[in-house]
Amino acid sequence: MGVCPKTPVARSTPSPGIIDTVPDVVPVPPVETASAEAFMLPPISAEERTARQTIARHRQRLDWAMHVPEFEPFFKQGLEELGLPPPRRGIGLRALVDSMMLEAKKDLLLWVLAGFRRMLPGDIAWRLAESWGVTLAEMPWFDPDKPLSAARWPEYDQHVRAAVQREHRRYKEAQEHLYILHHDLPDKLALRMVYDPAKRADAAQEGCLGLLHAVDKVDAGETPFSSYAQQWVARAIRNYLLSERFPVHVPVNLASQILRDANQEAPGSAPSTRPERTLLQPRVSLDNPATPDDKPLSIPDEATPGPRDLLNRQELLRVVQDMISQLSEKQREVLVRRYGLGAGREAETLMNIAQSIGISHQQVSMREKRALEKLGSILRPMFRELYG
């Protein structure tokens, strides 16, 4: 499912973002002939409605199971065992688990169920089993008024695990149906948003991931899924272009905030000259041949940086040091340790920094937030100077 299929799927919905041309004079129909049905959203097919209901129900079950307090102590070890991304850069364990895709949540839940050997309150155990469709007829020995013992857990786990896997297969069928129905959306948006042809394939793949996220977050409402999915796909492609454009790693949320502020400061500018559009345009390398007949100059030693590269690196280092020096001592300490700034340093978690300094987790997070806001205010004049 991670690769966009190339077989087109016929759909009646027009391509998102395309604006039809309108003639200078448009005849206005009489008021009495206007029908309310003309302003209604296009109807959702029965197959799409069923798929959306299946995905929404599966997500609600997994979300509830992921919030069982007795399961949370096992999450960190489960992420390591399953090879899933650990918490980092201000994203706590709870927020990470909530943001995971349904496939990863299912794997983590099954891992916790396999290793859980503790007492579980009877009401929680019964609600967990009932939410996945397990009945008392399948477990006649189970008493919801009594805690579930560790001795009975293997038998309980067998029933719940089978129900989770059964419902997950239904979710995969619904996911595949929605994905194939809208699989051409990433290619269309990549063609429209990406100016560099060499990056369109990678951008389309990022758009496919955004489409999968949209499928996982869909609800059972009446809004057309194509409109909802377009936002996720466009966001994924835009984040990819931003990460490829900056010469150094910049958090996507910080870059997006700077771009929004810069666009608000230039409301009357043309869309093509706005900072965001300028930033997303492709670079033009001075080393590229001007014409097909020209030959690029060869560099004899590519491993040794030239004088210009050394000057640029020193200038970049000086700018970063000047920006860091404008922070307070407490903010600078948190930011340096949080992002591993400096030779031989590694990024640390908020919890490690809080324990080392002797303050709370919230205080460290607040210092980091204020430091990033201050850096954003310093970067805005530089951004306007570079991109107009």
Side-chain angles (χ1 to χ4, degrees):
M1 298 296 295
V3 179
C4 286
K6 298 301 180 181
T7 304
V9 178
R11 294 191 292 121
S12 59
T13 304
S15 302
I18 300 298
I19 302 178
D20 297 332
T21 58
V22 182
D24 295 335
V25 180
V26 181
V28 180
V31 177
E32 60 272 13
T33 60
S35 174
E37 297 179 356
F39 302 97
M40 297 178 60
L41 295 174
I44 301 176
S45 64
E47 293 80 4
E48 178 177 338
R49 180 176 286 104
T50 302
R52 294 172 64 165
Q53 293 174 353
T54 301
I55 294 173
R57 183 169 57 249
H58 189 64
R59 183 180 63 250
Q60 293 171 359
R61 292 167 172 170
L62 285 174
D63 288 344
W64 188 91
M66 291 288 100
H67 282 78
V68 173
E70 287 78 5
F71 291 168
E72 292 190 12
F74 296 85
F75 287 167
K76 186 174 182 180
Q77 182 181 356
L79 294 176
E80 296 176 358
E81 294 288 338
L82 296 173
L84 298 174
R88 60 184 178 89
R89 291 188 182 179
I91 302 178
L93 182 61
R94 178 73 270 164
L96 176 66
V97 172
D98 291 340
S99 63
M100 289 193 311
M101 299 190 69
L102 300 187
E103 187 74 29
K105 286 184 180 181
K106 183 266 301 183
D107 293 339
L108 182 59
L109 175 61
L110 294 182
W111 186 91
V112 172
L113 292 176
F116 190 83
R117 291 296 183 272
R118 299 181 182 179
M119 296 282 290
L120 189 65
D123 57 339
I124 296 180
W126 168 240
R127 184 175 177 182
L128 177 64
E130 186 183 29
S131 65
W132 292 103
V134 181
T135 62
L136 287 177
E138 301 177 59
M139 301 184 299
W141 47 267
F142 181 76
D143 188 356
D145 298 329
K146 297 181 180 179
L148 182 63
S149 63
R152 284 289 191 179
W153 183 263
E155 188 174 356
Y156 174 86
D157 171 54
Q158 181 180 0
H159 290 284
V160 175
R161 178 181 298 272
V164 171
Q165 293 174 342
R166 180 181 63 250
E167 294 301 323
H168 193 73
R169 286 192 294 269
R170 296 177 180 174
Y171 152 75
K172 294 297 291 184
E173 294 176 357
Q175 180 197 48
E176 182 179 4
H177 175 78
L178 286 183
Y179 185 92
I180 294 178
L181 190 62
H182 304 277
H183 75 278
D184 56 340
L185 187 58
D187 287 329
K188 290 182 179 179
L189 290 182
L191 186 63
R192 184 180 310 153
M193 298 175 60
V194 183
Y195 298 96
D196 189 355
K199 293 183 178 181
R200 284 175 184 164
D202 292 338
Q205 293 301 313
E206 294 293 332
C208 290
L209 296 179
L211 180 57
L212 288 176
H213 278 283
V215 171
D216 275 3
K217 301 295 183 180
V218 71
D219 56 18
E222 296 296 327
T223 303
F225 178 72
S226 58
S227 303
Y228 175 74
Q230 182 177 351
Q231 301 177 9
W232 281 87
V233 175
R235 183 189 308 171
I237 295 177
R238 179 174 176 273
N239 292 345
Y240 163 74
L241 294 177
L242 289 178
S243 64
E244 290 291 317
R245 183 66 173 179
F246 283 102
V248 295
H249 174 72
V250 178
V252 175
N253 55 348
L254 178 60
S256 300
Q257 182 63 42
I258 296 174
L259 290 175
R260 284 195 297 268
D261 294 344
N263 288 331
Q264 291 175 0
E265 294 176 1
S269 60
S272 59
T273 61
R274 290 179 181 176
E276 179 178 355
R277 297 294 298 271
T278 304
L279 186 61
L280 297 181
Q281 289 177 357
R283 296 189 183 102
V284 177
S285 176
L286 298 178
D287 296 330
N288 290 340
T291 63
D293 298 333
D294 294 340
K295 295 182 179 180
L297 297 176
S298 60
I299 302 176
D301 189 1
E302 298 182 357
T304 303
R308 183 182 302 173
D309 295 334
L310 292 176
L311 289 176
N312 291 338
R313 193 174 304 172
Q314 293 174 1
E315 179 66 16
L316 179 61
L317 179 61
R318 184 189 64 79
V319 172
V320 173
Q321 290 175 346
D322 290 344
M323 291 169 51
I324 297 296
S325 64
Q326 298 184 41
L327 302 176
S328 65
E329 182 178 355
K330 295 180 180 179
Q331 294 175 349
R332 184 165 55 251
E333 179 186 6
V334 170
L335 207 63
V336 168
R337 297 179 61 178
R338 189 73 183 89
Y339 295 95
L341 304 179
R345 283 185 173 273
E346 294 184 358
E348 301 182 37
T349 63
L350 292 176
M351 186 60 66
N352 291 340
I353 299 175
Q355 294 176 354
S356 175
I357 299 178
I359 58 178
S360 66
H361 177 280
Q362 290 77 9
Q363 289 175 311
V364 176
S365 178
M366 184 60 64
R367 291 182 183 179
E368 179 189 10
K369 180 180 179 181
R370 291 175 179 172
L372 293 177
E373 291 177 352
K374 191 169 185 179
L375 288 180
S377 63
I378 299 173
L379 282 172
R380 289 187 189 99
M382 300 174 57
F383 181 85
R384 288 193 294 268
E385 181 180 354
L386 290 174
Y387 299 101

